[in-house]
Amino acid sequence: MNSKNKLSFGERLLESAFTYTLISIIIGFIVGAVALVIAGYDPIESYGKLFGVIFRSTKNMSYSFIEYSVPYILTGLSVAFAFKTGVFNIGAEGQYVMGSVAAMLVGVFVQAPAYIHIPLCIITALVVGALWGGLVGFLKVRFGAHEVLCMIMFNWIAYYFSNFIVNLKSVNVGDGKTWSRLIQDTAKITTADWLPGLSPHAHFGIFIALFCVVLIYYIINRTTLGFKLKAVGFNRSAAEYAGINANGSVMAALSISGMLASLAGALQVMGVTYKISQFAGQEGYGFQGITVALIGGTNPFGVLLGAEFFGAMKFGGTRFDAPSEIVDIIMGCIVLCIAISNLLRLVVRNKKKGGTV
């Protein structure tokens, strides 16, 4: 290789998405510290308590890195996978909701032993998610409908559909309550009975989420399907010229993306809530998946780290003495800085080439 084409260590750092993500996180905490000072808190003491809460015990760490993080891993993967294929999946919120509804219905009404009941809940949620995401893909490729607008509408359809289901007499717990009946014990995936040192709602969905991280990485980087999906995302016209079915790729991408988000909803019902409740507002897991995908640089393993960080911050933010909104300020600044980092990277590349932005 020509030595002129070799990048120095410093140049590799400037090109690395990890570098900009790390800088963004530092800036986010600095801005959070300023907000804490304005609110009358000592930022060093508050941050010490924040991280102290997260790592205080095995139970707290299971809250942070299992219970709080699993839905973010999967919704983040959903958004990241769509990004890789050139589609912006803002519909992960609705897909999450539809997955939770599907898992609840199967968990409540199906009678089966656990080794059948649990997979059945998961498979039903995956099918529903694939159909919910694939339907948007069909509208896009068949009628030219914009996927972002469709997904926003589908989020609200899922929202009101869930509320409708919760209030059915056969589903509602009764007595004027606003939540569904609890799923049966055979549909639950919590580990509290045989791992009592963890949080009450720690569940083995974390292993399913980790498997999905590896699977999505493999699909994107090691399969023909992944190559086709990325080719369509990079340049649709060139992909079609090369003989790739661009419309089929879009539908496949949105279906897989929908499956991941709906799986997040299913695992949350089966491992944490055991029911669904009437919404007063959007839950936000799908939208926060966008944040996680950006923190992770849309890389599946980066998404895993981003989700664990985000989940830990969410858990710690509800249990330290400063306002919990500080955590939202920190995360918002991190996302903003990551978005700006793409522009900074462009500036660096142009300066190296002697050009202008």
Side-chain angles (χ1 to χ4, degrees):
M1 182 185 293
N2 191 330
S3 60
K4 292 182 179 179
N5 295 328
K6 291 182 179 179
L7 296 176
S8 67
F9 178 73
E11 288 173 329
R12 286 199 301 271
L13 281 179
L14 288 175
E15 287 289 321
S16 171
F18 175 78
T19 300
Y20 290 99
T21 299
L22 184 60
I23 293 171
S24 298
I25 290 173
I26 293 170
I27 292 173
F29 277 105
I30 292 172
V31 173
V34 173
L36 283 167
V37 171
I38 293 173
Y41 294 89
D42 181 344
I44 297 177
E45 181 181 349
S46 295
Y47 283 154
K49 290 181 178 179
L50 172 64
F51 290 105
V53 165
I54 294 170
F55 296 102
R56 180 179 298 161
S57 64
T58 304
K59 184 176 182 179
N60 280 14
M61 286 191 287
S62 67
Y63 270 118
S64 301
F65 302 118
I66 299 177
E67 181 178 334
Y68 273 67
S69 297
V70 166
Y72 297 128
I73 294 173
L74 291 167
T75 56
L77 272 181
S78 173
V79 175
F81 182 80
F83 275 160
K84 287 289 187 183
T85 59
V87 180
F88 180 38
N89 182 17
I90 201 173
E93 181 73 14
Q95 294 152 11
Y96 172 94
V97 170
M98 293 302 292
S100 64
V101 171
M104 181 277 297
L105 291 174
V106 175
V108 168
F109 292 108
V110 173
Q111 300 283 343
Y115 64 86
I116 293 176
H117 207 177
I118 290 172
L120 189 59
C121 289
I122 292 173
I123 291 170
T124 303
L126 291 174
V127 171
V128 169
L131 292 173
W132 202 248
L135 183 55
V136 174
F138 173 76
L139 293 174
K140 177 179 175 65
V141 303
R142 180 66 178 84
F143 302 105
H146 198 288
E147 70 273 14
V148 172
L149 296 178
C150 288
M151 286 175 182
I152 291 172
M153 294 299 101
F154 272 53
N155 286 342
W156 287 108
I157 293 170
Y159 172 93
Y160 287 112
F161 177 74
S162 178
N163 284 354
F164 168 76
I165 293 295
V166 166
N167 288 292
L168 292 176
K169 288 184 178 180
S170 58
V171 175
N172 192 274
V173 72
D175 297 326
K177 304 288 177 54
T178 58
W179 55 83
S180 72
R181 293 157 52 187
L182 296 180
I183 63 173
Q184 298 173 54
D185 290 342
T186 51
K188 295 177 181 177
I189 58 173
T190 44
T191 60
D193 292 339
W194 35 282
L195 288 174
L198 303 182
S199 74
H201 297 295
H203 55 85
F204 64 75
I206 183 64
F207 298 110
I208 299 174
L210 292 174
F211 172 76
C212 288
V213 169
V214 176
L215 179 62
I216 293 302
Y217 177 84
Y218 180 80
I219 289 174
I220 290 175
N221 296 289
R222 296 289 186 271
T223 66
T224 302
L225 173 62
F227 173 80
K228 290 179 179 179
L229 294 176
K230 287 192 295 182
V232 173
F234 284 134
N235 191 316
R236 183 187 178 103
S237 298
E240 289 177 335
Y241 184 77
I244 295 173
N245 183 351
N247 288 341
S249 295
V250 169
M251 290 190 63
L254 288 174
S255 295
I256 295 172
S257 186
M259 290 169 72
L260 290 166
S262 66
L263 179 59
L267 296 181
Q268 192 73 355
V269 167
M270 297 165 68
V272 179
T273 64
Y274 308 137
K275 65 182 184 296
I276 62 173
S277 301
Q278 181 172 315
F279 291 123
Q282 299 278 9
E283 281 206 292
Y285 284 110
F287 297 125
Q288 288 160 349
I290 299 173
T291 301
V292 170
L294 289 173
I295 292 174
T298 69
N299 178 289
F301 291 105
V303 167
L304 172 62
L305 295 176
E308 296 292 353
F309 171 71
F310 193 84
M313 292 294 292
K314 281 290 184 180
F315 169 73
T318 61
R319 287 165 172 78
F320 79 134
D321 58 356
S324 60
E325 289 79 9
I326 296 296
V327 171
D328 295 325
I329 292 172
I330 293 171
M331 302 310 296
C333 289
I334 290 171
V335 173
L336 177 62
C337 291
I338 289 173
I340 294 174
S341 72
N342 291 324
L343 177 61
L344 294 178
R345 216 173 308 173
L346 181 63
V347 171
V348 170
R349 287 173 182 168
N350 274 272
K351 280 189 175 181
K352 284 169 60 179
K353 294 177 181 177
T356 58
V357 180

